[in-house]
Amino acid sequence: MRNKNHYLIAALLVLGIYSCSQKEETQADKRPNILFIMSDDHAYQAISAYDDKLLQTPNIDRIADEGMLFTNACVSNSICAPSRATILTGKHTHINGKIDNLMPFDTSQVTFPQIFQQEGYQTAMFGKLHFGNNPKGVDEFMILPGQGYYLNPDFNTPRGDTTIMGYVTDIITDLTLNWLKDERDPRKPFMMMYMHKAPHRPWWPNPEKFAEFTQKQFPEPETLFDDYSNRGTAAKDAEMNLLTHMMYSHDSKVRPEVLERMGEKASPKVEEFENGFYGPYGRATAEQKAKYDLVLDGINADFEENWPSMTEEEKMRWKYQRYMQDYLACISSVDDNVGRVLDYLEESGLAENTIVVYTSDQGFYLGEHGWFDKRFIYNESFKTPLLVKWPNVIKPGTTEDEMVQNLDFAQTLLAAAGITALDDMQGESLMPLLTGAREQWTRDAVYYHYYEYPSVHMVKRHYGIVTKEFKLAHFYYDIDEWELYDRAKDPLEMNNVYDDPAYADKVQELKLQLDDLRAQYKDSPELDQKYIQIYKDMQVKKDNDFW
């Protein structure tokens, strides 16, 4: 796998791309360091570089101010573990095996950290991986098992399991900074994956942010009360409505005993996770609980007093505010901690030769269409934040609107380090966009495929093609429906124009293009049926094991 890296590095030195800093960065190998920052379920709408209506994120914004902001970055399958598998392998989920959160990852797949490790990079991973407890190609890791906990979290490490007291976002940052300061080899370039649990459900802020954000009110999205008219079956059948599916205890922090005391007054009925409240809260120490109780008592008193007399519209608004208060408070902590790491890179001199990437495993609904969660090909779920800075290479303050995907991250980072990607990787290097050679970028459409149905949130299986102008999706399995959205005329995606005669030619054109993409990425109707049958077999086994 070795290539002629020394020729590339020599050329870049001549061009002045690499700095000869006399500060801490004295490693002999002058290939760029890479800091890959990923949060979980971080909506692009909740980054002020994209939209400042909800929240200010000055530290994450620094990456865009000093680098590039991608406005059409998206995912190939909007759900956590599959997205992460795609990022690690540079392959669609139907190739790497991780089509949903249930199906196993094909462990024979090579991940890009393995390649970096083989090519002489020092590698590390701290935070949330979300599948597997022994990441390949990583010299040092401390990762949360499964979803992990917000409070006093457990970690898997090469030396065994451990629990660290405190708030998870702060702890992941402490681990990252400790490695950067005290454990890495300064003679080698590093590839660090700094991966936050936040702001994944159930959105537990630290006590200080909890107190601060429950005093805030946030603007409602235009489509909060969407009735899904002019859309197909899939939008109507999805189970992620704020009012009817967001849980009182697990999500809105209403104590179970308050719900029990209120009885029918707490309608509409919402199915709760077992230990949905006391699972997270129960991990807190007495001192931590005392801080949380100051806020929880107020939330619960307000709910018990006012909820029974509210209209359905008022209840929807109450749940939306509770959701935003907790979700955005979690992100505020992420932003603070990203700032800590960026500050250290600057202070140490490492920033001059470090590529910094900020992204998420997918987008998220913040009340748009009345929803929370993700999964759909619709914008809020499909689009993901992507901000990249690379001193002396990326022009600061650049905005890029080309269609790029998480499928591209592995090839891009390898190319930036002068390492040849594997032939079977399916993405495209973003180097032409990062370096200002946009004329070399040829992609005009991306492919999407979501599989996890029937399952939680009941978003139907679908695949589709997305260009800057249009989005065509086919929903299948228990239905056979097509949807087309004119992204320019209908940015909120409220009107399916698939059956509009004015778009008939566009439908045929996109269907042919979609067929080409499916063939290019080795997806097919036969593969769809294969995964449907595997899924059914897994469900039967699960039911038999249960009984």
Side-chain angles (χ1 to χ4, degrees), residues 132-143:
N133 294 332
N134 188 19
K136 296 190 295 184
V138 180
D139 298 325
E140 175 62 22
F141 67 86
M142 293 185 72
I143 59 174

Side-chain angles (χ1 to χ4, degrees), residues 288-490:
Q288 290 168 334
K289 285 179 180 176
K291 293 179 180 178
Y292 279 109
D293 286 342
L294 292 172
V295 182
L296 288 168
D297 289 349
I299 292 170
N300 281 263
D302 174 64
F303 181 84
E304 189 165 10
E305 178 181 357
N306 295 307
W307 183 266
S309 62
M310 289 182 187
T311 64
E312 296 295 281
E313 182 177 304
E314 289 170 335
K315 290 176 179 179
M316 180 72 149
R317 291 196 157 110
W318 188 94
K319 276 197 168 182
Y320 170 75
Q321 293 300 331
R322 276 275 52 251
Y323 173 34
M324 286 299 92
Q325 288 163 357
D326 293 347
Y327 179 92
L328 297 173
C330 290
I331 291 177
S332 183
S333 288
V334 171
D335 187 70
D336 290 346
N337 279 279
V338 167
R340 291 173 60 200
V341 176
L342 294 179
D343 287 347
Y344 174 72
L345 294 180
E346 293 289 346
E347 294 161 3
S348 65
L350 286 169
E352 293 181 53
N353 193 30
T354 298
I355 300 169
V356 178
V357 177
Y358 186 89
T359 190
S360 184
D361 45 2
Q362 65 267 313
F364 214 66
Y365 292 101
L366 304 185
E368 298 90 358
H369 307 291
W371 288 334
F372 65 104
D373 206 68
K374 56 256 184 180
R375 301 166 195 266
F376 274 114
I377 197 172
Y378 307 139
N379 268 352
E380 292 82 8
S381 167
F382 168 75
K383 289 176 65 173
T384 195
L386 179 60
L387 305 84
V388 184
K389 82 181 186 83
W390 188 358
N392 304 312
V393 176
I394 298 176
K395 182 181 178 182
T398 305
T399 299
E400 179 55 71
D401 70 346
E402 291 295 332
M403 298 296 302
V404 305
Q405 257 184 326
N406 59 351
L407 185 71
D408 305 325
F409 294 172
Q411 289 91 319
T412 302
L413 297 176
L414 291 167
I419 301 172
T420 303
L422 300 181
D423 291 339
D424 62 350
M425 285 183 170
Q426 295 182 306
E428 296 184 31
S429 168
L430 305 182
M431 287 293 283
L433 303 178
L434 299 176
T435 60
R438 296 181 82 247
E439 68 280 358
Q440 298 176 22
W441 183 258
T442 59
R443 176 194 284 159
D444 60 2
V446 296
Y447 179 62
Y448 181 89
H449 200 152
Y450 174 80
Y451 297 86
E452 193 169 296
Y453 176 88
S455 187
V456 62
H457 297 304
M458 299 301 285
V459 172
K460 295 183 185 296
R461 295 177 184 232
H462 59 291
Y463 59 84
I465 180 174
V466 184
T467 70
K468 290 182 184 178
E469 296 82 17
F470 292 96
K471 181 177 295 182
L472 177 71
H474 180 213
F475 292 86
Y476 69 99
Y477 183 78
D478 58 345
I479 59 172
D480 180 10
E481 295 181 4
W482 289 84
E483 296 182 9
L484 175 69
Y485 294 94
D486 186 326
R487 300 183 75 198
K489 294 182 180 178
D490 180 25

Side-chain angles (χ1 to χ4, degrees), residues 3-21:
N3 58 26
K4 298 178 181 178
N5 285 336
H6 55 287
Y7 294 124
L8 174 64
I9 295 166
L12 294 176
L13 283 168
V14 169
L15 293 172
I17 290 179
Y18 288 114
S19 166
C20 293
S21 169

